[in-house]
Amino acid sequence: MNFSKLLSFVVTSLIVAPSLGATITDASQVASKTFDYVIVGGGTAGLVVASRLTENPNVSVLVLEAGISDEGIFQIQVPFLGPTVLPNTPLDWNYTIVPQAGMNGRTFAYPRGKLLGGSSSANYLFHQYGTDEDWNRLGSVSGDAGWSWSNMKKYVQKHEKFTPPVDGHNTTGQFIPKLHGFNGLTSVSLPGASTPLDPRVINATQTSSEYPFNQDMSGGDHSLLGIGWLQSSAGGGVRSSSSTSYLAPANSRPNLTVLVNATVMKLIQTGTKNGVPSFKSVQFGSSPGTGSTPGGGAPTTVSAKKEVILSAGSVGTTQILQLSGIGNQRDLQAVKIKTIVNSPKVGYNLGDHTLLPNLYNVQPGSSFDDFLRDPNQINDAVNQWVTTKTGRLANNVVNNFGFARLPRNATIFKKNKDPAPGPKSPHWEVIFGNFWFNPGIPQPSTGDFLVVVSVLLNPTSRGTIKLKSNNPFDKPLIDPNYLTTDLDIFTMRESVKSINRFLAEPTLSNYVVSRFGDNFVSADDDSSIDAYVRSLTTTIFHPVGTASISSKNSNNGVVNPDLTVKGADGLRVIDASVFPFVPSSHTQGPVYLLAERASDIIKAAKY
Ligand SMILES: Cc1cc2nc3c(=O)[nH]c(=O)nc-3n(C[C@H](O)[C@H](O)[C@H](O)COP(=O)(O)OP(=O)(O)OC[C@H]3O[C@@H](n4cnc5c(N)ncnc54)[C@H](O)[C@@H]3O)c2cc1C
Ligand SMILES: *[C@@H]1O[C@H](CO)[C@@H](O)[C@H](O)[C@H]1NC(C)=O
Ligand SMILES: *[C@@H]1O[C@H](CO)[C@@H](O)[C@H](O)[C@H]1NC(C)=O
Ligand SMILES: *[C@@H]1O[C@H](CO)[C@@H](O)[C@H](O)[C@H]1NC(C)=O
Ligand SMILES: *[C@@H]1O[C@H](CO)[C@@H](O)[C@H](O)[C@H]1NC(C)=O
Ligand SMILES: *[C@@H]1O[C@H](CO)[C@@H](O)[C@H](O)[C@H]1NC(C)=O
Ligand SMILES: *[C@@H]1O[C@H](CO)[C@@H](O)[C@H](O)[C@H]1NC(C)=O
Ligand SMILES: *[C@@H]1O[C@H](CO)[C@@H](O)[C@H](O)[C@H]1NC(C)=O
């Protein structure tokens, strides 16, 4: 998909000047001040916690966000432009992963949102909660039943505001109302613009034994298996992020201060309590290009009376822990950082979902490819969005997706245990796009395409995030170590075969003309499918695990079940990095639920 061309067209026509509201940009307004809580990172989780804690007017909170405000930025508001926000834009951290042994030594972009709302302001808006089995496994490995689904499901009601689709179509049969919240904060909606691909896919579910129709794709105690209608974090044709849904209603509270352009460099030890070091001060500098540091000038320090909360995401939180001397002693020594808390698992256990864009040539005339090539059609769609918040751009880029499992008798299970958290949780995901989508490779100038993305869920490969140096402005070394187990490559291979079987259903076989791309065309036996998978797979941006939860007395993790950092005082981690396993779905929903419960845990804490 030629998203970069689309983006430059749209941006030159319509960028809106940021207006910061109550969010502040001047570090001197907070210098040397003390707050009850200092939250590092105004992203998905950080803004949930900031919003919930300041419901009590007696509690003061400072949020430090390295990126800019999200207000008034056109392309993050428009659902269809989701894929244009990152990578390698001013809203991205611009990370690149190290060469991947399981991917022919390839390296590629590893985007993370760098603005208020974090990755929820920059993602593709798919919205789900993982399976009940994902949460029950977390409850069991943490020894805290509070993380089990029977307790977590109430947070769906607090979080979610299910909203009618913008085209006003009858949604009966496309979701199950009792699984949803209608009075929460974040808008979630079904597709608001149909595509010619939708009836083909939905029809095929009526004859497919592998992908039956699933009436609700949100997860929880309703199975994810099968294919159904996508639910997106949007309402009224506009993206709903943690900034628009949790910060916006809280930003005028006198005891909430949000500072943007503030890059946290490290935490500072402030003493000891019960024999362990306290980390209640935070040192930050202005983000590159926005002030006197890091080009020069002294960093600013602020302190927390109660706690510092790290919500800088799987990459940022890992990096800040390590820069603060909380990490694996050997790794810290290698970059000349004095270890204060030897926490061997910081930066380890990195898990992520992979993305393989299986591309097909299709019958001409009903893909989006010509739309994406035509400035006049795009211009009309932009005008429609601006005037009525409807039309193609008010909708996500995808309407249908689904999930599947390996059969119980799959040969791989002779030597490997099932990696899924239970028999209802999927091993892979399939996503149907009515257009050319191939990250990093531009849309060809002619042709109509179908993309069926396969995503490896419940991966068994694990990687690392380590510092490159002790300079907080250096990018860390990110090594997801993708596709390095037999099980992971087996599952990707079976997902490709399974998609080809699904495309043989009548309403799809009369649409698809041929596979696209030399490696795919020749991918007919196991070894050539593996070669194809290794040549094209990238990431679907769901890193977790680098500050994993483990049970209270276990050293096989970084945080306790209440998310306090093991071996430290006054410090918690609340973001995707604490999940020891990647949930069997897209990850923003699980992060929202995690942050809702974490807020309740903090409200109940005694200091
Ligand atoms: C391109 C992309 C597409 C995605 N698509 C989907 C999707 O469709 N559906 C879905 O469910 N999930 C999706 N995800 C994943 C999902 O968005 C993330 O799992 C989730 O948002 C992570 O939340 P978080 O709070 O852990 O981190 P984030 O939301 O990333 O927040 C971290 C925040 O901390 C800030 N920060 C980092 N370091 C520092 C520092 N040193 N000082 C100050 N601030 C700092 C960052 O700028 C950021 O604002 C996608 C992710 C990406 C990147
Ligand atoms: C806030 O503090 C005041 C004065 O101590 C107290 O009366 C009030 O109950 C507190 N409010 C909350 C919500 O805790
Ligand atoms: C909250 O804000 C009010 C009004 O600005 C102020 O009087 C009060 O001291 C603040 N409370 C805390 C805990 O900061
Ligand atoms: C990422 O790259 C873009 C485009 O080159 C640039 O504008 C932006 O400043 C970069 N961001 C960071 C954090 O380096
Ligand atoms: C929506 O469709 C269902 C089932 O087809 C029907 O029972 C219901 O009356 C419709 N609702 C509206 C508002 O038309
Ligand atoms: C499925 O396809 C058949 C035959 O093409 C068509 O008659 C029917 O309307 C389709 N059903 C749906 C739900 O699109
Ligand atoms: C914050 O960063 C943005 C984008 O880089 C910049 O436009 C703005 O001027 C910065 N604000 C301050 C106070 O430095
Ligand atoms: C698994 O079982 C199915 C159904 O009984 C059978 O068709 C298939 O061949 C079996 N596969 C293997 C690998 O044994």
Side-chain angles (χ1 to χ4, degrees), residues 362-402:
V362 292
Q363 300 290 350
S366 58
S367 77
F368 293 161
D369 289 296
D370 282 339
F371 167 80
L372 293 166
R373 293 183 186 112
D374 181 357
N376 292 325
Q377 287 189 59
I378 293 173
N379 196 23
D380 289 349
V382 167
N383 285 333
Q384 183 179 354
W385 187 86
V386 169
T387 51
T388 64
K389 302 286 189 291
T390 60
R392 179 61 44 224
L393 298 197
N395 197 44
N396 208 326
V397 293
V398 159
N399 284 350
N400 297 118
F401 74 141

Side-chain angles (χ1 to χ4, degrees), residues 115 243 294 353 458 485 498 520 525 582:
L115 73 167
S243 177
H353 291 154
N458 289 298
T485 63
S498 161
F520 196 17
D525 57 25
V582 206

Side-chain angles (χ1 to χ4, degrees), residues 55-58:
E55 286 170 350
N56 180 343
N58 293 348

Side-chain angles (χ1 to χ4, degrees), residues 199 203 206 507:
N203 231 327
Q206 291 161 11
T507 52

Side-chain angles (χ1 to χ4, degrees), residues 1-191:
M1 176 164 219
N2 207 351
F3 271 124
S4 55
K5 206 162 126 199
L6 173 60
L7 177 63
S8 56
F9 176 80
V10 164
V11 167
T12 49
S13 60
L14 259 164
I15 193 127
V16 185
S19 75
L20 291 172
T23 297
I24 63 167
T25 58
D26 180 0
S28 69
Q29 290 177 257
V30 301
S32 307
K33 283 201 180 156
T34 300
F35 300 80
D36 290 325
Y37 299 93
V38 176
I39 299 177
V40 177
T44 313
L47 293 183
V48 172
V49 177
S51 181
R52 291 303 183 195
L53 294 184
T54 54
E55 286 170 350
N56 180 343
N58 293 348
V59 170
S60 64
V61 171
L62 171 68
V63 177
L64 296 170
E65 167 55 44
I68 60 172
S69 167
D70 61 314
E71 274 192 72
I73 303 178
F74 179 76
Q75 75 267 30
I76 66 175
Q77 299 172 358
V78 182
F80 193 81
L81 297 181
T84 71
V85 179
L86 310 177
N88 301 320
T89 68
L91 305 176
D92 189 11
W93 283 90
N94 296 347
Y95 298 124
T96 303
I97 57 167
V98 307
Q100 294 298 292
M103 292 176 162
N104 304 339
R106 285 182 301 126
T107 170
F108 43 82
Y110 206 62
R112 298 280 90 202
K114 189 181 179 192
L115 73 167
L116 284 179
S119 297
S120 75
S121 293
N123 67 21
Y124 289 19
L125 299 89
F126 286 45
H127 196 269
Q128 314 181 269
Y129 297 111
T131 67
D132 53 354
E133 294 167 342
D134 287 317
W135 291 100
N136 294 342
R137 173 167 60 184
L138 183 59
S140 127
V141 302
S142 67
D144 174 1
W147 292 116
S148 302
W149 182 247
S150 61
N151 185 53
M152 293 306 292
K153 68 191 293 182
K154 63 173 181 273
Y155 293 112
V156 172
Q157 306 294 319
K158 265 192 115 165
H159 160 67
E160 182 177 289
K161 186 182 167 78
F162 210 84
T163 306
V166 288
D167 62 0
H169 77 270
N170 187 338
T171 54
T172 303
Q174 298 186 346
F175 79 118
I176 300 173
K178 73 170 175 7
L179 301 175
H180 293 277
F182 293 82
N183 300 303
L185 296 178
T186 301
S187 298
V188 175
S189 53
L190 285 160

